[in-house]
């Protein structure tokens, strides 16, 4: 094996390997991680020698500029593209038939915007399942089917998303939902249905996943907004990371406003431990990962 000491006697190819190996070790990475790192470095190249040093967010933002992201799908390839699965498959797991969603009361958009707020306290009363279904359906349900991506009936959702690809999935930990056993469920809008992912009391695990958010223990329901990168990356490439998080924000506001209409107390939570949350949902944390929590219940409590 080539050592640092005899590096001057190796030929050019070996020297490149040596450099990669040393660089990878210095960064705590593997050699196979270096192409991704180099693509970052290329995208982040600073022409101006007087520019201030890059911060982590500069690296990310500079790499995700449209002028640098050159792996979006070719328009000709798009002509023949087929849509990816629009929701998690979760094959072999039971799904629940859902009650009719609680209808949204007559509330003007202006009133909903005015009355919306975040609350970390909830009444010690169960959240009715029909209300939870009303939240899912009202904020994220399918409102139509239209021709798109070479199929006649591509689903159109209540929350807009880049290219209509809807990369955000909704899971819910039901702590105290009347008509729903305690456990973890995935909302699949095509049913619509809730697919059982896990069962049992998960209050402790949810509170542990939050950072300085013990109050999550008492939330009757905690939604997890997850990003499915494969659903968007085939079309938007590296830039998908930006689009997906804009979609997540849009959906979050839908959730806030629909929850307000339904008279719920809610709070978005970005302060959570990624690994704990992904483990809880059995996501790999790479192609699919949790990006936000959203607690809800009936208003009340202290
Ligand atoms: C993306 C996002 C992340 C948030 N994360 C947290 C959080 O981790 N913990 C928390 O207590 N509140 C969180 N909130 C709630 C904000 O603190 C709250 O929206 C803000 O204080 C304004 O109050 P309002 O929602 O009542 O208007 C979050 C809100 C959003 C939109």
């Amino acid at each position: 094996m080539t050592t640092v000491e005899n590096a001057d006697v190796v030929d050019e190819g070996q020297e490149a390997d040596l450099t990669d190996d040393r660089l990878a070790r210095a960064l705590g990475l593997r050699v196979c991680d270096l192409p991704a790192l180099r693509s970052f470095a290329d995208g982040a190249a600073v022409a101006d020698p007087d520019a201030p040093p890059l911060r982590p967010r500069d690296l990310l933002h500079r790499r995700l500029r449209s002028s640098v992201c050159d792996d979006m799908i070719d328009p000709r390839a798009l002509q023949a593209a087929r849509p990816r699965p629009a929701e998690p498959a979760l094959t072999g797991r039971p799904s629940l038939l859902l009650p009719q969603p609680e209808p949204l009361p007559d509330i003007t958009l202006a009133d909903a915007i005015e009355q919306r707020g975040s609350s970390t306290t909830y009444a010690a009363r169960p959240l009715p399942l029909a209300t939870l279904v009303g939240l899912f359906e009202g904020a994220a349900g399918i409102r139509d089917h239209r021709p798109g991506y070479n199929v006649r009936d591509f689903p159109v959702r209540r929350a807009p998303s880049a290219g209509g690809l809807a990369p955000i999935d909704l899971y819910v930990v039901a702590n105290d939902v009347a008509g729903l056993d305690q456990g973890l469920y995935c909302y699949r809008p095509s049913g619509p249905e809730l697919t059982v992912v896990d069962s049992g009391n998960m209050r402790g695990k949810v509170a542990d996943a939050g950072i300085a958010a013990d109050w999550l223990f008492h939330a009757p329901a905690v939604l997890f907004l997850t990003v499915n990168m494969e659903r968007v990356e085939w079309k938007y490439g590296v830039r998908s990371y930006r689009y997906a998080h804009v979609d997540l924000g849009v959906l979050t506001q839908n959730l806030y406003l629909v929850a307000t209409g339904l008279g719920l107390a809610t709070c978005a939570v970005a302060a959570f431990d990624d690994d704990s949350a992904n483990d809880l949902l059995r996501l790999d944390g790479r192609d699919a990962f949790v990006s936000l929590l959203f607690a809800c219940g009936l208003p009340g409590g202290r």
Side-chain angles (χ1 to χ4, degrees):
M1 185 178 161
T2 311
T3 61
V4 177
E5 289 77 17
N6 67 7
D8 52 343
V9 296
V10 298
D11 67 27
E12 233 171 54
Q14 283 174 305
E15 197 160 13
D17 287 349
L18 178 74
T19 310
D20 279 3
D21 190 48
R22 286 174 65 187
L23 179 63
R25 264 189 289 133
L27 295 169
L29 300 172
R30 299 160 305 171
V31 172
C32 65
D33 294 325
L34 294 181
L37 187 75
R38 291 212 166 90
S39 84
F40 249 91
D42 293 345
V46 185
D48 178 3
D50 297 326
L54 290 174
R55 297 155 295 186
R57 73 165 155 82
D58 298 323
L59 276 175
L60 188 64
H61 197 70
R62 293 179 71 85
R63 180 62 183 90
L64 301 186
R65 282 171 301 158
S66 57
S67 56
V68 177
C69 296
D70 56 2
D71 60 343
M72 288 201 195
I73 194 168
D74 180 285
R76 275 166 308 177
L78 194 55
Q79 302 281 320
R82 306 291 296 185
R84 305 304 190 264
E87 57 192 27
L90 296 169
T91 34
R93 295 183 191 280
S95 284
L96 308 179
L97 272 180
L98 299 179
Q100 282 299 313
E102 181 177 326
L104 268 178
D106 266 341
I107 175 171
T108 66
L109 178 61
D111 284 345
I113 289 175
E114 204 55 32
Q115 290 168 23
R116 186 212 60 81
S118 297
S119 170
T120 58
T121 59
Y122 310 96
R125 280 183 291 133
L127 176 67
L129 178 56
T131 311
L132 183 64
V133 176
L135 179 62
F136 281 133
E137 285 287 279
I142 294 172
R143 66 182 171 88
D144 200 2
H145 289 87
R146 288 188 199 149
Y149 299 108
N150 300 301
V151 295
R152 283 172 42 178
D153 53 355
F154 189 75
V156 180
R157 309 278 295 267
R158 296 213 163 81
S161 66
L165 295 174
I168 311 302
D169 293 316
L170 290 172
Y171 289 73
V172 61
V173 168
N175 288 328
D176 191 9
V177 178
L180 199 57
D181 289 341
Q182 281 191 321
L184 169 67
Y185 302 84
C186 177
Y187 168 65
R188 301 197 328 139
S190 63
E193 60 196 12
L194 286 177
T195 300
V196 183
V197 180
D198 207 345
S199 54
N201 182 344
M202 305 173 82
R203 284 182 188 274
K205 286 184 178 166
V206 171
D208 285 349
I211 295 174
D214 292 348
W215 53 269
L216 280 171
F217 187 92
H218 303 286
V222 181
L223 275 53
F224 287 72
L225 284 72
T226 69
V227 181
N228 181 308
M229 290 302 296
E230 286 173 335
R231 216 173 286 154
V232 269
E233 252 171 357
W234 66 271
K235 185 174 179 188
Y236 298 122
V238 176
R239 204 166 156 81
S240 303
Y241 196 75
R242 281 175 61 160
Y243 293 1
H245 283 89
V246 175
D247 289 354
L248 184 127
V250 168
L251 177 56
T252 301
Q253 180 68 340
N254 260 19
L255 286 167
Y256 260 120
L257 292 179
V258 171
T260 303
L262 291 168
L264 295 177
T266 57
C267 187
V269 180
F272 63 89
D273 180 77
D274 292 79
D275 293 341
S276 308
N278 289 327
D279 287 352
L280 189 69
L281 269 62
R282 304 174 183 189
L283 301 179
D284 64 12
R286 281 167 63 90
D287 296 326
F289 47 86
V290 177
S291 266
L292 196 73
L293 276 51
F294 189 83
C296 50
L298 296 173
R302 283 185 292 134

